Amino acid sequence: MDQTLQKQHIRIGVIGMGYVGLPLARLFSTKYKTIGYDLNARRVAELMAGTDATLEVPDALLREAIDKHGFLCTTDISLLKDCNVYIVAVPTPVDRDNRPDLTPLRGASETIGRIISKGDIVVYESTVYPGMTEEVCIPIVERVSGLKFNTDFYAGYSPERINPGDKEHTVEKIRKVTSGSTPETADLIDAIYNSVLVNGTHKAPSIRVAEASKIIENAQRDVNIAFMNELARIFNAMNIDTRDVLDAAASKWNFIRLTPGLVGGHCISVDPYYLIQKAQVYGVMPRIMMTARRLNEGMGEYVAFQTIRLMNKKGVVVKDAKILILGVTFKENCPDIRNTKIVDICHTLREYTADITVCDPWADAAKVAREYGVDIVTDLQKALSFRYDAIILAVAHDEFKNLPVRSYLKDDNGVVYDAKGILRRDDVDGRL
């Protein structure tokens, strides 16, 4: 590796100002000159005005980064030409058939190729299957830039570990995995990340190992939650409360306590497909992961049908019933609606009634309508001014935890279904 980069001042350019890129760029700006780049002009304008709609970076910290540390967000890629370390933090979604959609990653790699210079480093943070950085991304950078990999420029992979809405495991406290395309590059990348992290790093022996480590983190959680969801289906059919079973089992010292639930978001519900697809290329059929994905994908529909079953048992007419769904984000106390499974509950119930109110004070109503075709109410008091035949607690927002839910039913025959297990036992008719 060209040693000149180690001797000069590090200047960092972060591609993608979303849930991952912005917190990382803000953190790096406390130590290095840092510029963030995003295609979304509205997003960039909001950030430069000192507001982060994702709520991952508090406004005070964002303004401090801009005013004190000179952090800049831009849609002008030419402003990043003076950087010498580029970090790619763009989404890695799947298409409608759950096949990896590499469009954002390919586009980011082409962008890097247009501005990278000799001796520079590009680090990928986006979740990918093992081998993608060197097999897909780097060849694009080479082709566009005309530079030769590991001769003219270098690469690394440091998987993101952002947990949206988590105010405890923030980016500076997360222990990061790092890697590099040469030993010297790996050392430099590790040193750069170490310089801003409280709990340090784990330097992986190769980029492929780092890529694999990230994708199994989420695949493991997907499989574990799928097991809990399967247990919930079994015990519900047997009229046994799943949470009671888990409480009893957790009394053993080595039982791993997990709970059933809806698996949405951009990580657990998406990332396993990347490994599933790559495994099949190598002739391995990842049956456990595939089964887990199918089971978890069907839980929204399952919650809807469990609610309908309870309504039928209590003599509540399902056709044209008035139903309230509390929550639409994919997790509690967070505005993130990516791949939320709450819409699956809504769409299933719509086959029986159009009188459905979805309420979420955390979500952006315009964004939900645009992404999912679902109109929501963000004013909780407005939603609670009506009376319902059934109420489904779908997301464990703090605003919902102490609600006297039964008082918002039309009568005693109304149904309350608790998909998160946070309401008082006496207030609910069924729960996961």
Side-chain angles (χ1 to χ4, degrees), residues 82-100:
D82 191 44
C83 296
N84 46 34
V85 175
Y86 297 97
I87 298 175
V88 176
V90 298
T92 45
V94 293
D95 62 19
R96 291 187 176 184
D97 297 316
N98 292 322
R99 295 174 302 193

Side-chain angles (χ1 to χ4, degrees), residues 289-330:
M289 286 192 294
M290 292 172 69
T291 300
R293 278 284 72 235
R294 283 194 296 271
L295 199 154
N296 286 339
E297 282 289 294
M299 289 305 293
E301 183 181 62
Y302 176 77
V303 167
F305 282 127
Q306 284 293 101
T307 304
I308 291 170
R309 181 180 68 85
L310 291 168
M311 292 172 72
N312 286 331
K313 285 180 68 175
K314 297 187 74 172
V316 180
V317 177
V318 178
K319 180 174 171 51
D320 298 326
K322 191 173 184 63
I323 299 176
L324 172 64
I325 300 175
L326 291 170
V328 76
T329 62
F330 93 89

Side-chain angles (χ1 to χ4, degrees), residues 382-415:
K382 180 179 179 181
L384 297 178
S385 65
F386 300 94
R387 294 297 176 264
Y388 300 90
D389 295 299
I391 298 174
I392 299 174
L393 188 287
V395 185
H397 292 319
D398 288 343
E399 291 87 340
F400 302 153
K401 288 183 178 179
N402 297 311
L403 285 179
V405 284
R406 298 211 73 85
S407 66
Y408 304 112
L409 295 171
K410 289 181 179 179
D411 53 49
D412 290 339
N413 286 332
V415 167

Side-chain angles (χ1 to χ4, degrees), residues 159-347:
E160 60 91 359
R161 279 178 168 169
I162 294 294
N163 184 24
D166 189 337
K167 303 309 177 186
E168 179 181 355
H169 302 97
T170 52
V171 63
E172 64 270 15
K173 298 176 184 177
I174 296 171
R175 190 179 184 197
K176 290 274 286 175
V177 173
T178 65
S179 63
S181 56
T182 68
E184 296 83 4
T185 305
D187 288 342
L188 180 55
I189 292 172
D190 193 65
I192 292 171
Y193 277 91
N194 248 314
S195 69
V196 295
L197 297 174
V198 173
N199 294 313
T201 62
H202 173 91
K203 187 169 65 174
S206 70
I207 289 176
R208 288 166 64 88
V209 167
E211 291 168 324
S213 72
K214 167 57 183 177
I215 207 158
I216 70 166
E217 291 173 18
N218 291 331
Q220 181 188 62
R221 292 180 65 194
D222 196 38
V223 169
N224 285 341
I225 295 171
F227 177 52
M228 293 296 111
N229 283 336
E230 188 165 61
L231 292 180
R233 287 172 175 254
I234 293 170
F235 295 138
N236 284 343
M238 300 172 69
N239 199 30
I240 300 173
D241 190 290
T242 306
R243 308 275 171 162
D244 287 345
V245 176
L246 294 175
D247 288 341
S251 64
K252 187 181 180 185
W253 66 91
N254 61 350
F255 181 79
I256 301 172
R257 177 62 188 261
L258 298 166
T259 54
L262 303 173
V263 182
H266 187 67
C267 294
I268 302 177
S269 66
V270 174
D271 295 346
Y273 289 118
Y274 278 72
L275 188 55
I276 287 169
Q277 190 256 13
K278 194 62 175 179
Q280 292 178 81
V281 170
Y282 282 85
V284 178
M285 187 61 67
R287 301 186 189 282
I288 292 177
M289 286 192 294
M290 292 172 69
T291 300
R293 278 284 72 235
R294 283 194 296 271
L295 199 154
N296 286 339
E297 282 289 294
M299 289 305 293
E301 183 181 62
Y302 176 77
V303 167
F305 282 127
Q306 284 293 101
T307 304
I308 291 170
R309 181 180 68 85
L310 291 168
M311 292 172 72
N312 286 331
K313 285 180 68 175
K314 297 187 74 172
V316 180
V317 177
V318 178
K319 180 174 171 51
D320 298 326
K322 191 173 184 63
I323 299 176
L324 172 64
I325 300 175
L326 291 170
V328 76
T329 62
F330 93 89
K331 66 183 297 187
E332 65 275 5
N333 304 325
C334 172
D336 195 347
I337 62 169
R338 291 176 297 176
N339 299 311
T340 175
K341 299 306 170 190
I342 313 305
V343 295
D344 293 347
I345 301 175
C346 187
H347 291 325

Side-chain angles (χ1 to χ4, degrees), residues 51-65:
T51 299
D52 172 26
T54 70
L55 305 182
E56 289 304 301
V57 176
D59 290 353
L61 277 183
L62 182 55
R63 285 193 291 267
E64 179 185 58

Side-chain angles (χ1 to χ4, degrees), residues 12-29 34-48 51-57 62 66 71-75 80 87-91 338 367:
I12 296 176
V14 181
I15 312 299
M17 289 288 97
Y19 280 88
V20 174
L22 176 65
L24 187 68
R26 197 285 309 173
L27 180 61
F28 274 129
S29 74
T34 304
I35 299 176
Y37 171 80
D38 201 281
L39 294 171
N40 188 332
R42 179 180 176 182
R43 169 73 170 161
V44 168
E46 288 177 347
L47 293 177
M48 290 307 296
T51 299
D52 172 26
T54 70
L55 305 182
E56 289 304 301
V57 176
L62 182 55
I66 295 169
F71 175 54
L72 171 68
C73 291
T74 182
T75 58
L80 277 71
I87 298 175
V88 176
V90 298
R338 291 176 297 176
K367 194 170 184 180

